[in-house]
Amino acid sequence: MSEPVSGNKFEQQRREKLDKIRRLGVDPYGQRMDGIEPAEAVKAAYEEGRRVRCAGRIVLLRDIGKLIFITLRDAGGTIQLGLSKKQMEAQWELVKLLELGDLIAAEGPLGKTKTGEITIWGESVSLMAKSLEQPPEKFHGLSDVDARYRMRYVDLWANPDVMQRFQQRSIMTAAIRRFLTDKGFLEVETPMMQTIAGGAAARPFITHHNTLDIDLYLRIAPELFLKRLLVGGMEKVFEINRNFRNEGLSPRHNPEFTMMELYQAYADYLVMMDLTEELICHLIERYCGGMKLPFGDKIIDYSRPWRRAKYADLLKEYGHCDMEQPQTVRRRANELGIEVGDKDDAVLVNEVFEATVEQHLINPTFVMDYPAAICPLTRQSKSDPRIAERFELFVGAMELANAYTELNDPDVQEANFRRQLRGLTADETMAKMDDDFITALKYGMPPAGGLGVGIDRLMMLLTNATSIRDVILFPLLKPLADKHQTAAE
């Protein structure tokens, strides 16, 4: 599909018809209309002769002289409309001016054609919005992927599978909320703009509040505010909302993304593991029609129980090194072309893990017991302080969820923060201690389990979308001017 150009010949032709419609005394942009029924509901409850009113966009139009067949598409499906000159003499001039892409409403009795197709035999038609842009040539697929993302308002009605995917996303997100509230969790909202970029190691977006004359950060995670609510006595809380990270774009990363994050007092990461598995399997069983689902060229088996594997064991199995032997890790990093330099051993271990292990984790796998040095907000294992009680869930070689047994000792937390900030310059956005969070911990936060699930990635997996842009209605894209300039260069 080509990009629309204002004033092109197609638009001019449509504007000529727009003028003719207005000269007929018809408002080309409609008005309120009650009693509209969904197309699929009308077909499902078919009754010969019943009068119905449907509305939608014209996606197919066959003009055979004194009879015109139109296919209308609404949010849920399509229905055929039959218009005859004999039946619609008073409106026939308007009918002959209708085009692909126009939004109309039609009323009349139901019947079937000779081929058995359910049809509304129109007795009246109302133009609800005249389309001035030429629609895609093929309504079963826009071939230009970039155009599809840029013009989602066309993509949704031109590609029924796209509409269905976003409807599924909405339905399943609502189901997540019901699942959690049924378990006693309270949905809350925490600040999107924060004075300190905390809760995760990521580069934030910076904005400025004029009245207070202070810089603020679009949140990279809600974690530290949700934990404050545990201190306040809210024992089971969750939030489904946006996070913002000023980092790269890829099929699995968008700078603005949706997370579900929850905290449960008196729980730990094992409780979070059970909850994660139960939640996702609940969605699959209810909305996906089976426990084996396609994801790109793979079939993922979500049958329970899911695999639980220790971080160190996976590193040995796939990375062929031992995280307790730094020299073997450095040697392996060199073999993989990973820059070693003076990186901390734990950081290097994780880079080797990412390069060698994650690609093998296709079926759901809980990776347990991460190195404590890279988990500053996590409680250490009592049996081995080098290990943090943390898991990440991988599905389709992609991280989907992250969970901790939360650290609630204020002195240890402060020491971890200081160690994390060591070496950063004062003007770096992450080089700030959240003193208020430490104060909150000093009042006493109950032992807790915390969990974060990437909603966009979850929807990718459950709707077989291999790019995150296919599950975000309006993904971030380079402006067209920049795109054209780059192409010219």
Side-chain angles (χ1 to χ4, degrees):
M1 175 180 173
S2 60
E3 299 290 345
V5 179
S6 179
N8 62 35
K9 65 177 183 179
F10 299 111
E11 182 176 331
Q12 291 303 322
Q13 291 169 359
R14 286 172 174 260
R15 286 189 178 278
E16 290 171 7
K17 290 192 175 182
L18 178 71
D19 291 340
K20 292 179 181 179
I21 290 168
R22 284 190 165 125
R23 286 198 294 271
L24 292 175
V26 175
D27 180 356
Y29 294 102
Q31 59 187 347
R32 170 179 170 173
M33 182 166 289
D34 298 327
I36 293 172
E37 299 181 59
E40 290 301 312
V42 167
K43 291 192 291 186
Y46 173 76
E47 181 183 335
E48 180 91 21
R50 183 171 79 88
R51 291 183 61 82
V52 298
R53 178 181 289 169
C54 288
R57 193 177 295 271
I58 300 175
V59 295
L60 185 64
L61 188 151
R62 292 180 292 137
D63 187 340
I64 49 180
K66 296 182 179 181
L67 184 61
I68 295 175
F69 285 103
I70 287 173
T71 299
L72 288 185
R73 177 173 292 154
D74 62 16
T78 61
I79 193 164
Q80 180 166 271
L81 171 64
L83 304 175
S84 71
K85 183 176 181 180
K86 180 179 180 181
Q87 189 69 32
M88 300 196 63
E89 185 71 37
Q91 286 192 294
W92 195 244
E93 196 171 351
L94 169 63
V95 168
K96 296 292 278 188
L97 292 171
L98 297 178
E99 298 180 278
L100 289 174
D102 290 349
L103 286 162
I104 65 171
E107 185 173 353
L110 286 174
K112 290 185 179 180
T113 62
K114 292 179 180 180
T115 60
E117 183 167 358
I118 295 173
T119 302
I120 303 172
W121 296 108
E123 295 180 346
S124 67
V125 167
S126 299
L127 181 59
M128 308 307 287
K130 175 64 185 168
S131 175
L132 298 178
E133 285 284 358
Q134 186 77 357
E137 292 181 5
K138 294 183 179 179
F139 280 83
H140 295 292
L142 289 171
S143 58
D144 187 333
V145 174
D146 185 75
R148 287 181 51 215
Y149 297 146
R150 257 174 229 289
M151 297 189 292
R152 188 70 85 187
Y153 44 84
V154 176
D155 191 30
L156 285 166
W157 59 262
N159 297 296
D161 58 323
V162 174
M163 175 69 81
Q164 184 181 25
R165 175 174 285 134
F166 284 105
Q167 288 171 335
Q168 283 181 291
R169 175 178 174 135
S170 179
I171 290 167
M172 288 192 285
T173 302
I176 292 171
R177 286 187 160 95
R178 287 194 301 272
F179 177 91
L180 294 174
T181 54
D182 286 348
K183 287 186 172 294
F185 283 87
L186 183 68
E187 184 172 11
V188 297
E189 294 177 338
T190 59
M192 292 284 192
M193 295 189 297
Q194 303 178 356
T195 55
I196 295 175
R203 186 188 300 275
F205 287 94
I206 305 172
T207 187
H208 188 79
H209 192 287
N210 291 333
T211 302
L212 296 178
D213 193 24
I214 58 172
D215 283 342
L216 294 169
Y217 306 98
L218 297 185
R219 74 174 185 200
I220 55 179
E223 178 168 351
L224 302 186
F225 281 93
L226 290 171
K227 288 180 177 178
R228 284 171 168 91
L229 299 180
L230 290 179
V231 174
M234 292 185 177
E235 296 179 350
K236 299 174 79 171
V237 294
F238 79 96
E239 182 170 10
I240 298 177
N241 223 322
R242 297 298 180 88
N243 290 349
F244 307 85
R245 298 184 183 180
N246 196 354
E247 297 171 348
L249 293 166
S250 80
R252 298 181 176 186
H253 296 88
N254 194 66
E256 178 182 6
F257 61 98
T258 304
M259 284 286 293
M260 185 283 293
E261 196 155 320
L262 65 79
Y263 292 85
Q264 179 177 341
Y266 313 114
D268 65 4
Y269 78 137
L270 298 176
V271 173
M272 296 296 100
M273 210 174 296
D274 293 338
L275 182 66
T276 305
E277 186 172 328
E278 183 184 355
L279 168 60
I280 296 174
C281 286
H282 167 75
L283 295 176
I284 294 170
E285 290 166 356
R286 186 159 185 177
Y287 300 107
C288 299
M291 300 308 290
K292 293 183 179 180
L293 303 179
F295 183 60
D297 59 357
K298 304 177 179 67
I299 297 295
I300 298 176
D301 187 353
Y302 291 90
S303 301
R304 303 176 73 177
W306 291 355
R307 181 187 183 191
R308 301 185 179 194
K310 291 185 180 296
Y311 183 101
D313 294 340
L314 291 170
L315 187 65
K316 288 179 182 177
E317 181 179 355
Y318 297 113
H320 309 301
C321 58
D322 189 333
M323 74 179 197
E324 295 181 3
Q325 298 177 9
Q327 290 308 313
T328 69
V329 174
R330 290 181 178 275
R331 185 163 55 249
R332 187 72 176 109
N334 281 320
E335 293 171 358
L336 294 166
I338 296 172
E339 183 181 346
V340 175
D342 59 353
K343 289 179 181 175
D344 184 85
D345 289 341
V347 172
L348 202 57
V349 163
N350 203 51
E351 290 187 14
V352 171
F353 184 93
E354 290 175 348
T356 61
V357 178
E358 294 181 3
Q359 60 190 294
H360 298 283
L361 306 179
I362 305 303
N363 287 334
T365 303
F366 290 110
V367 179
M368 305 168 57
D369 301 344
Y370 275 65
I374 60 171
C375 308
L377 295 163
T378 313
R379 177 173 287 191
Q380 296 173 352
S381 168
K382 287 186 177 180
S383 60
D384 186 349
R386 297 171 298 177
I387 298 300
E389 293 189 353
R390 170 188 177 183
F391 76 74
E392 287 190 2
L393 171 63
F394 285 86
V395 185
M398 177 170 63
E399 180 199 343
L400 179 60
N402 187 22
Y404 309 152
T405 299
E406 301 298 333
L407 178 58
N408 63 341
D409 183 325
D411 295 333
V412 175
Q413 183 65 84
E414 184 173 1
N416 286 355
F417 277 163
R418 293 195 183 283
R419 184 170 57 253
Q420 187 180 34
L421 299 177
R422 194 176 300 138
L424 297 179
T425 59
D427 60 345
E428 291 187 68
T429 56
M430 296 298 293
K432 297 179 181 178
M433 171 78 73
D434 192 338
D435 293 316
D436 181 72
F437 177 65
I438 299 299
T439 299
L441 290 184
K442 288 179 180 178
Y443 278 96
M445 186 184 90
L451 167 67
V453 176
I455 296 297
D456 304 315
R457 290 185 178 183
L458 177 60
M459 296 306 158
M460 286 173 63
L461 289 161
L462 300 190
T463 65
N464 191 18
T466 54
S467 172
I468 198 169
R469 293 181 178 186
D470 288 327
V471 296
I472 296 175
L473 279 167
F474 300 102
L476 183 65
L477 300 168
K478 180 179 287 190
L480 279 173
D482 293 350
K483 181 188 173 192
H484 293 157
Q485 182 178 0
T486 301
E489 292 172 351

